[in-house]
Amino acid sequence: MDWNKTKTIFIVVFAVLNIFLWSLYINQQEQVKNVEVLGQPSIEESLKLDNITYDELSKEDVYSSYVSAETGVFQRSMFQKKEKQDVSIIEGTTVYSNLEKPFRLNGKKDKIAYSEFLDKYIVFGEQYRLWEVHEDEGYAVFFQEVYDEPIYFSPNASLEVYFNEDGEIYRYKQRRLEAFVSFNQKKNLLTPFDAVSTLASKGHLEQNAHIDHVELGYSTLVQFTDTQVFAPTWHVKVTQKDKEVEHFFVNAIEGKVVELQEDH
């Protein structure tokens, strides 16, 4: 018996069988898609039927990639050119600071005043973007940016500023990331419309809801001791029918809804 010849025949047979099974699978998937198209309304029609409104959502191609970063380290010398403050640096990575003189804001949501504060007091302050002001609790949250896009809810890339009873900033807590690296080739991301469609298909959007905006940023994919990997992520801000505002996050590569929340 010619074993080499027999082995070759088996390899060919299995290859042909795999191709045949794959073709069956593809045909079945196409049939399912055809049934869905014929039997169900499109996402756009479903949104219209549920009176879910939105401004124009882009369907244009968007490209981005995964990003890695390392935990940033602070040194006292970094604060020499900043306004006077009592700085404590914990384990080199977390800053707790009390301002020598509280910084007055024209209003707790005054972004121009915050820009001045970031410039005068915060190391790498230009890298932070205001996320939300918690007026009742007396603090505001900023997210660090990478490539001009925010890193959502990473405790290692955030700034929290605290107000006194007069609405002045009197202390803050800061952490940061550094050594950002984009890796792998840029990928064709889900579009903003795809992100909204994902939320709709998973039942996250109520009837009569309005999509306020869709913005690209990053969320934590993998976290090691000193290194993190971030995935491009769509932030979808929604005003539900009861006027409650909700924030949803969709992995822009995998299409998964990501659960993110403030760690405070």
Side-chain angles (χ1 to χ4, degrees), residues 112-129:
I112 296 177
Y114 281 122
S115 296
E116 183 182 356
F117 168 76
L118 293 173
D119 180 58
K120 288 185 175 182
Y121 288 91
I122 305 300
V123 174
F124 302 105
E126 72 281 357
Q127 295 181 4
Y128 292 86
R129 179 193 299 189

Side-chain angles (χ1 to χ4, degrees), residues 244-260:
E244 179 185 358
V245 175
E246 291 192 74
H247 300 275
F248 297 98
F249 300 89
V250 180
N251 184 306
I253 293 176
E254 299 177 3
K256 297 178 181 178
V257 178
V258 184
E259 296 292 334
L260 298 177

